[in-house]
Amino acid sequence: MCGIVGLFLKDKALEPELGRLTAAMLHEMCGRGPDSAGFAVYGSGAGGTSKICAVRRASNLDWADVAKRLEQAIGRKVRYEIIEDHAVIRIDGDGTAARTWLIENVPEATVLSEGEAIEIYKGVGDPDAISERLRLASFSGTHAIGHTRMATESAVTIAGSHPFSTGRDTCLVHNGSLSNHNRLRETLRRHGERFQTENDTEVAAGYLSWRMKAGDSLEQSLEHALDDLDGFYTFVVGTRDGFAVLRDPIACKPAVMAETDAWVAFGSEFRALAALPGIDAARIWEPAPATVYAWSRS
Amino acid sequence: MPSVRMGVKTAHDTRNTSLDMASLSLRQVNETLQKAEAGAFAVANPRGAHALAAGLTTPIDVTIDGHVGYYCGGMNQEASVTINGNAGTGVAENMMSGRVHVKGDASQSAGATGCGGLLVIDGNASARLGISLRGLDIVVKGSIGHMAAFMAQAGNIVVLGDAGDALGDSIYEARLFVRGKVKSLGTDCIAKEMREEHRTLLRGLLDAAGIGPEVDVAEFTRYGSARTLYHFHIDNLGSY
């Protein structure tokens, strides 16, 4: 199973409500994925700085020590904020090198995201408890993607929870299972992509990051995914300014979308969308198989 | 418990009963509907709930205002269920008799394995409509997705719009009538001659779905089984 929700706001007035609306949507999908959950929120990015979200795997991890070592390694000022078992690390400029350093030098943590606006949080257990503990309802922002997981392809761990992010300000959630991820992971590694898990979805995220680094737009990267990814999938993808949906050619996994002048929303089932403001007047449809749906803020 | 059932009957067959899911649970609503022997019921605020009005066995009339989740009207016998909204996966799946009417769109596997009765969809239906159909009649006023009528054994499907890929793959004796374009036919499904008996049958199905003479049966093409996959044949090994 697995449940997916996504909300892309067009109306700025709703931005303070993003977390509250997303938490309510995620709540409806608890039954589809009771073993773990995660969410990505695109908040306001301070120009020229990067945020790195990480979650500790060992309870004795000292974030102050990690920050100090990172500061020495990259030669830039590092600030951090601890939120439960997560930390949001802030640095000036691009965070790519810092992300790489953390993955290579801090095995007691999993790096969840890096970018100007994106923050990713994940947990194991009841999705409602996770969104409450990590204060999802308190977030404001422009768009958010959430996932409730019923694991099939790899272990129930924080690292195996969605969303997966392998590129700057980019994330992906997945309902389904890929069948060619092992071979594709090796190909992408040869192209320089880094993976932290044995999870199939992380390979799809790495694939899209690789295509977009090579110059593809979000839409183009998903068009290429139709050729190169084999298996069952409903994907919801977020970028700094964009939001996209793709289903496999036989539409194995469920999907419902709705759009008004104020927002675009995705749910694995309609009940995830039922409480959105203005849903009664929304255009509601089932995304067609093998068809890329994308929105962006220009 | 005949006396209890009689009590419910008396309460429900004399007036319209409103069931508001803003205050009633899915189980309370389904229990009320499943115990009723007659009457008309209006269900409000379904909010995508699953298995709503499933397993009804009496000729009651149910109108649902809003969008429903999976398996609405599933296993229906004799009841008439109208959905003023969209329906999720498996609406009217395995229905035996009666009528289910979706005023909006239907998601995947609408009418799957249905044995009898009539399913009318005013909008579009997505993938796998009428998969393994066994006698239900389905009329779709819009278009349908891929793999419709896969392994359909009996019953009729009428589509006023277009059909997606692999229509009627491995079909047995169900009859398919499509007015628009068919993107592709599945294995062993072919276009067939429309004879007088088929025109009469199709007119009857359109009438039953409330579609008037403005839709002409001459505009439809009939599709059905080429009957080459019925029995094991060594030359067909690659197709099995």
Side-chain angles (χ1 to χ4, degrees):
Chain A
M1 282 243 263
C2 294
I4 297 177
V5 301
L7 184 60
F8 180 81
L9 299 179
K10 301 189 219 172
D11 179 1
K12 269 187 143 343
L14 278 174
E15 289 182 5
E17 302 291 309
L18 179 73
R20 186 182 64 78
L21 294 169
T22 306
M25 293 169 79
L26 199 69
H27 165 73
E28 293 295 332
M29 294 295 97
C30 285
R32 294 191 63 90
D35 66 43
S36 47
F39 53 89
V41 180
Y42 290 81
S44 55
T49 66
S50 296
K51 292 186 275 194
I52 298 170
C53 278
V55 61
R56 68 167 187 237
R57 288 208 294 243
S59 57
N60 60 352
L61 178 68
D62 180 359
W63 289 113
D65 176 59
V66 171
K68 204 164 86 185
R69 286 161 57 210
L70 176 61
E71 214 164 57
Q72 284 164 0
I74 61 169
R76 274 185 275 163
K77 178 85 182 144
V78 172
R79 288 146 289 156
Y80 67 98
E81 177 190 1
I82 297 169
I83 300 170
E84 295 280 324
D85 49 352
H86 291 59
V88 182
I89 297 165
R90 287 183 169 78
I91 55 169
D92 290 334
D94 188 274
T96 310
R99 174 179 184 271
T100 304
W101 185 90
L102 287 165
I103 292 171
E104 288 177 350
N105 295 284
V106 189
E108 305 87 356
T110 301
V111 177
L112 303 179
S113 64
E114 180 275 319
E116 185 185 330
I118 192 172
E119 290 179 32
I120 290 182
Y121 299 86
K122 301 180 182 182
V124 170
D126 172 38
D128 273 345
I130 292 163
S131 65
E132 196 167 322
R133 182 169 63 84
L134 296 164
R135 304 189 308 233
L136 170 57
S138 70
F139 280 83
S140 63
T142 51
H143 48 304
I145 295 170
H147 187 271
T148 60
R149 183 171 186 232
M150 188 177 282
T152 55
E153 283 293 299
S154 63
V156 177
T157 60
I158 288 185
S161 309
H162 304 217
F164 282 94
S165 175
T166 55
R168 186 167 170 79
D169 277 319
T170 303
C171 78
L172 168 85
V173 296
H174 175 201
N175 179 12
S177 56
L178 300 179
S179 45
N180 64 338
H181 61 100
N182 286 326
R183 184 164 297 177
L184 187 57
R185 186 185 295 108
E186 293 315 309
T187 306
L188 292 168
R189 276 193 174 128
R190 285 199 294 279
H191 288 289
E193 291 301 315
R194 278 169 198 284
F195 297 95
Q196 299 181 83
T197 72
E198 293 303 306
N199 186 281
D200 57 333
T201 305
E202 191 184 21
V203 175
Y207 176 83
L208 297 181
S209 296
W210 171 64
R211 294 289 338 174
M212 285 191 271
K213 272 183 226 161
D216 276 5
S217 65
L218 176 57
E219 291 95 320
Q220 287 166 332
S221 71
L222 288 166
E223 295 285 355
H224 282 117
L226 281 167
D227 295 330
D228 292 336
L229 298 182
D230 188 14
F232 300 134
Y233 51 85
T234 290
F235 291 138
V236 178
V237 185
T239 63
R240 176 73 184 86
D241 301 305
F243 180 79
V245 171
L246 176 66
R247 300 175 83 193
D248 66 64
I250 65 163
C252 190
K253 298 296 179 181
V256 184
M257 298 208 67
E259 184 169 15
T260 68
D261 289 341
W263 47 259
V264 178
F266 176 97
S268 291
E269 300 172 18
F270 175 75
R271 58 198 169 116
L273 313 179
L276 287 170
I279 188 70
D280 289 343
R283 181 172 80 92
I284 298 168
W285 77 102
E286 179 171 328
T291 304
V292 175
Y293 295 83
W295 289 261
S296 67
R297 203 180 316 279
S298 47
Chain B
M1 299 291 284
S3 60
V4 172
R5 291 180 71 88
M6 283 304 288
V8 172
K9 180 181 176 181
T10 310
H12 286 154
D13 63 358
T14 54
R15 61 190 170 93
N16 285 343
T17 304
S18 292
L19 301 167
D20 189 346
M21 296 186 73
S23 54
L24 293 170
S25 71
L26 171 65
R27 191 160 290 191
Q28 285 172 312
V29 170
N30 273 345
E31 199 171 273
T32 302
L33 296 175
Q34 287 161 1
K35 282 183 175 168
E37 293 191 356
F41 299 82
V43 179
N45 294 307
R47 292 177 183 167
H50 293 331
L52 184 56
L56 305 184
T57 57
T58 55
I60 61 170
D61 192 78
V62 181
T63 302
I64 301 166
D65 280 316
H67 308 303
V68 296
Y70 293 4
Y71 314 130
C72 182
M75 302 177 286
N76 187 54
Q77 294 180 50
E78 300 193 29
S80 174
V81 179
T82 301
I83 301 154
N84 288 322
N86 302 326
T89 296
V91 65
E93 57 93 29
N94 207 40
M95 79 182 265
M96 306 301 285
S97 61
R99 181 184 171 104
V100 174
H101 186 175
V102 182
K103 295 285 188 77
D105 295 332
S107 183
Q108 305 187 36
S109 306
T113 75
C115 287
L118 176 66
L119 167 62
V120 180
I121 299 166
D122 287 356
N124 301 315
S126 67
R128 295 175 272 275
L129 172 85
I131 185 170
S132 198
L133 197 70
R134 296 179 294 166
L136 168 68
D137 293 328
I138 304 176
V139 178
V140 181
K141 295 183 188 172
S143 295
I144 63 173
H146 59 276
M147 292 299 282
F150 174 63
M151 294 189 81
Q153 294 137 54
N156 303 289
I157 297 178
V158 179
V159 181
L160 271 59
D162 301 331
D165 273 320
L167 176 71
D169 194 286
S170 306
I171 190 173
Y172 292 88
E173 290 305 300
R175 301 180 196 88
L176 315 177
F177 301 94
V178 182
R179 186 165 70 155
K181 295 189 201 73
V182 173
K183 197 169 177 195
S184 68
L185 290 171
T187 302
D188 210 35
C189 184
I190 55 170
K192 294 186 161 187
E193 181 195 2
M194 280 279 269
R195 295 192 297 270
E196 193 52 39
E197 69 202 79
H198 303 117
R199 283 190 281 273
T200 305
L201 171 70
L202 177 55
R203 188 65 257 165
L205 291 164
L206 292 169
D207 289 345
I211 297 166
E214 70 278 5
V215 173
D216 184 351
V217 295
E219 297 171 37
F220 289 78
T221 303
R222 177 171 73 104
Y223 300 90
S225 177
R227 303 189 177 104
T228 61
L229 292 177
Y230 268 37
H231 305 292
F232 179 78
H233 192 289
I234 192 67
D235 292 339
N236 289 338
L237 197 57
S239 301
Y240 291 123

